[in-house]
Amino acid sequence: GDTVDGADGGAGGIVGGVVNTLDWAGTLAGEITNLLTCSEQRYVAVTQTIGPEGGEIKVGEHILEIPAKALSKRVKIRAEQMRGSANSVRFSPEGLTFKRAARLTMSYQNCLVVLLPKRIVYTTENLEVLEVFRSLDLLKKKTVTAPIKHFSRYAIAY
């Protein structure tokens, strides 16, 4: 992807440019382009039916919490922990949207230590960043959490 001054791994600089102007809708994808580098996670797939009462799906070390009233009917949801050097998950059916935001918590215990704030990003299947979400990075727990409104593929970036 594109590199921003200071985002090429050199000392100093602010990775991804403006970091403090995130809003609830996320930011422009160009602002944060570096996916967190991790040891390869194994492929895991889980299928679970969730209805209007809400529920939780755990896939590998990642958890999706769907609140009550987010879905109007029961939906068979497939969650996949994808292989690769970036921690990535895919949820289907593709394009499923929620009336209330679901909460995705991704673990980065198997990743290189980066002290900059981690964010959950919405990506293409080629892991190109499309949208960056306002995220809560818990460094001690090595997890990052963000609200998501639709199903697709997600990864951790900084």
Side-chain angles (χ1 to χ4, degrees):
D2 299 336
T3 56
V4 177
D5 289 340
D8 58 359
I14 297 174
V15 174
V18 183
V19 174
N20 295 327
T21 58
L22 298 172
D23 58 40
W24 286 110
T27 63
L28 297 174
E31 291 188 14
I32 298 178
T33 54
N34 297 325
L35 293 182
L36 196 57
T37 302
C38 308
S39 61
E40 185 149 330
Q41 56 182 10
R42 63 191 174 91
Y43 177 81
V44 179
V46 176
T47 302
Q48 203 170 313
T49 300
I50 305 245
E53 71 283 359
E56 184 177 286
I57 300 172
K58 187 168 169 49
V59 58
E61 296 299 311
H62 315 294
I63 301 169
L64 178 68
E65 298 166 83
I66 299 171
K69 299 186 176 90
L71 295 169
S72 54
K73 62 183 193 310
R74 292 179 68 72
V75 179
K76 190 178 202 176
I77 294 172
R78 181 173 174 86
E80 299 169 275
Q81 173 178 278
M82 308 302 287
R83 292 182 87 116
S85 63
N87 276 9
S88 170
V89 291
R90 181 190 322 155
F91 297 102
S92 45
E94 175 84 27
L96 176 70
T97 57
F98 301 108
K99 292 180 183 159
R100 295 178 59 202
R103 196 163 83 172
L104 176 60
T105 299
M106 295 184 70
S107 168
Y108 57 87
Q109 292 183 3
N110 61 320
C111 303
L112 292 178
V113 174
V114 173
L115 297 178
L116 294 162
K118 267 63 77 195
R119 309 265 185 230
I120 290 181
V121 295
Y122 162 46
T123 71
T124 65
E125 282 303 311
N126 296 328
L127 295 177
E128 293 161 346
V129 177
L130 299 173
E131 188 177 358
V132 179
F133 298 105
R134 181 177 179 143
S135 306
L136 175 65
D137 179 9
L138 297 177
L139 198 58
K140 283 188 168 67
K141 287 177 121 182
K142 295 196 172 180
T143 63
V144 60
T145 301
I148 64 169
K149 291 284 231 171
H150 61 84
F151 270 177
S152 194
R153 186 150 178 189
Y154 298 93
I156 305 173
Y158 62 94

